Amino acid sequence: MVALAAWFEIYDVFFTAYIGPGLVRSGIFTTSTSHFFGFAGLGAFVAAMFAGLFVGTLVFGQLADRFGRRVVFTGALLWYTAAAALLACQHSAEWIIFFRFLTGIGAGAEIVTIDSYTTEVVPANSRGRSFAFLQAIQLSAVPTVALVAWWFVPTAPLGFDGWRWVIWIGCLGAVAVWFIRLGLPESPRWLAQRGRIAEADAIVSRLEHEIVARTGTSLSEPEPHPPVAQEQKVNFAELWQSQYRGRTIMMLVFNFFQSIGYYGFASWIPTLLIAKGINVTHSLLYSFVIAIANPIGPLLSMSFAERIERKWIVVGSASAMAVIGIIFSKQEDAALIVALGVAMALASNCLTFSYRAYQAELFATRMRRRAIGVVYSISRISAMFSGS
């Protein structure tokens, strides 16, 4: 259920790339920006999303530590769905950028909350595979939005620009999934740290009964465990104390650079293809073929996610992205461009599932959501520059 709802969040984040040619074609944006803070260039549209993601991850995402994981990511889904629907009704660059910023806030609050929630409800010995599976479902949204854009962007059904239909279609599905997500239990770990032991125990007991009913096998008695310490007040300064300072700095540096490689490619691929002389329709078709690889990467990664230490998966996939990206930029042949684009998608999504699991495990439950929000937010700043 988490992955299904997150599917629409990925749809929303990635339609930036696929509706870009439509926004240019309609005369709302230009492919180039006259100056750094100009609103007329497509780069401003790309940057607006990441500016919103920055605010959502750093500021609004803290609410998950205070009010609970489930409350925040259900509310965030409704937030960015409403903002996206309004965005598709706009006709000026300024208003489109404004509502794109609002959608980013909702998506940013949700992304890191999902990572915290998944880490807290999945056993450590299968967490890497679980993140890979979660991401495989999420990233099936990428070829979907690429296919929808290929169909709609070059057309104008009922007199409305095709790029508007791409957004509205995603909004309709997200509203339905919001009701499904209400059936998710709250994180038992979060409840326990808030002193709500009875509620946490009720959720775990229900999950155990479901497993017994499904498998027909009784569960072994849990090992004795020290009582869960109730929540202590967490502040920003704690991330810089000796216990966490090194890992905080490491993840800040990593997140700053990983988003340039990941979103710099994903947000611009159709426009880059057009710049190489490929027309809009073929550009979107090639982008769709490349996008098919997005969910395949995490599925393939499930075979080794728990066999190789997470940090080495991160290092290996990042190195592969660097090499493939350099070669990709030098190509002119369509077949090679598509093949290298597929390879880039496989490597980049191997990177994302592994570092999401890795960074969530670096911080204690009581501060996990805030810590992830802080280190993840820096990636939104660098992603904004990738759109310039």
Side-chain angles (χ1 to χ4, degrees):
M1 287 191 289
V2 170
L4 182 60
W7 190 96
F8 290 95
E9 167 216 317
I10 295 297
Y11 182 103
D12 186 274
V13 170
F14 276 84
F15 74 55
T16 299
Y18 300 103
I19 70 171
L23 290 167
V24 173
R25 189 179 183 181
S26 65
I28 297 174
F29 290 100
T30 60
T31 54
S32 60
T33 305
S34 58
H35 55 90
F36 188 79
F37 293 103
F39 284 168
L42 188 60
F45 177 70
V46 176
M49 177 64 177
F50 293 109
L53 286 168
F54 171 75
V55 174
T57 53
L58 184 62
V59 181
F60 288 88
Q62 296 180 27
L63 299 176
D65 282 339
R66 182 175 181 182
F67 297 107
R69 315 312 194 200
R70 186 180 65 172
V71 170
V72 170
F73 62 49
T74 49
L77 177 62
L78 192 60
W79 171 295
Y80 72 69
T81 299
L86 291 171
L87 183 157
C89 299
Q90 307 307 310
H91 296 274
S92 69
E94 291 78 10
W95 280 109
I96 287 176
I97 289 171
F98 172 74
F99 282 106
R100 194 57 177 149
F101 174 74
L102 293 184
T103 61
I105 291 176
E110 184 181 52
I111 289 172
V112 288
T113 305
I114 286 174
D115 286 2
S116 298
Y117 182 87
T118 303
T119 301
E120 292 166 6
V121 298
V122 173
N125 61 2
S126 61
R127 197 169 287 147
R129 295 181 70 252
S130 297
F131 266 96
F133 182 70
L134 173 71
Q135 187 156 318
I137 297 175
Q138 286 180 281
L139 291 176
S140 65
V142 182
T144 302
V145 71
L147 180 62
V148 172
W150 176 39
W151 284 343
F152 283 94
V153 168
T155 65
L158 302 179
F160 295 101
D161 291 332
W163 64 266
R164 301 181 192 274
W165 288 99
V166 175
I167 300 175
W168 286 330
I169 289 170
C171 293
L172 290 174
V175 171
V177 173
W178 186 78
F179 290 99
I180 296 174
R181 186 180 276 191
L182 291 177
L184 284 172
E186 182 53 87
S187 163
R189 288 180 180 268
W190 179 82
L191 288 170
Q193 291 215 325
R194 299 288 289 186
R196 296 158 64 175
I197 305 298
E199 293 176 67
D201 183 64
I203 291 172
V204 173
S205 297
R206 190 182 76 195
L207 294 175
E208 291 173 341
H209 291 154
E210 289 177 0
I211 293 170
V212 171
R214 189 181 309 158
T215 63
T217 305
S218 299
L219 297 175
S220 59
E221 288 297 316
E223 297 180 3
H225 194 277
V228 177
Q230 293 190 17
E231 184 184 70
Q232 302 172 19
K233 186 175 181 180
V234 179
N235 55 54
F236 181 78
E238 187 172 355
L239 292 174
W240 305 100
Q241 293 177 1
S242 58
Q243 181 180 359
Y244 292 107
R245 185 188 307 120
R247 65 191 72 177
T248 298
I249 294 173
M250 175 185 68
M251 294 312 300
L252 283 169
V253 173
F254 169 80
N255 274 291
F256 182 86
F257 288 104
Q258 66 85 11
S259 66
I260 295 176
Y262 185 83
Y263 288 109
F265 180 80
S267 296
W268 284 97
I269 182 62
T271 306
L272 289 172
L273 293 176
I274 292 172
K276 288 180 176 291
I278 300 170
N279 64 40
V280 172
T281 301
H282 284 147
S283 168
L284 292 171
L285 173 60
Y286 295 160
S287 299
F288 166 64
V289 174
I290 293 171
I292 292 174
N294 280 277
I296 296 175
L299 284 176
L300 294 175
S301 302
M302 290 180 67
S303 62
F304 58 82
E306 303 301 343
R307 298 180 182 180
I308 303 174
E309 193 173 350
R310 301 203 211 291
K311 69 178 181 180
W312 294 120
I313 299 178
V314 172
V315 171
S317 53
S319 300
M321 286 175 63
V323 173
I324 295 168
I326 292 172
I327 299 174
F328 177 90
S329 67
K330 305 295 183 182
Q331 303 305 311
E332 299 293 337
D333 181 74
L336 281 174
I337 288 173
V338 171
L340 288 166
V342 168
M344 187 72 165
L346 291 173
S348 62
N349 288 300
C350 181
L351 172 77
T352 53
F353 97 80
S354 54
Y355 90 75
R356 286 172 64 187
Y358 179 72
Q359 73 181 7
E361 294 174 337
L362 292 179
F363 302 98
T365 302
R366 65 186 180 83
M367 65 186 303
R368 179 172 293 126
R369 173 56 200 81
R370 172 167 291 193
I372 294 175
V374 169
V375 300
Y376 205 49
S377 65
I378 197 70
S379 69
R380 304 320 178 188
I381 296 177
S382 57
M384 282 189 280
F385 290 110
S386 75
S388 301

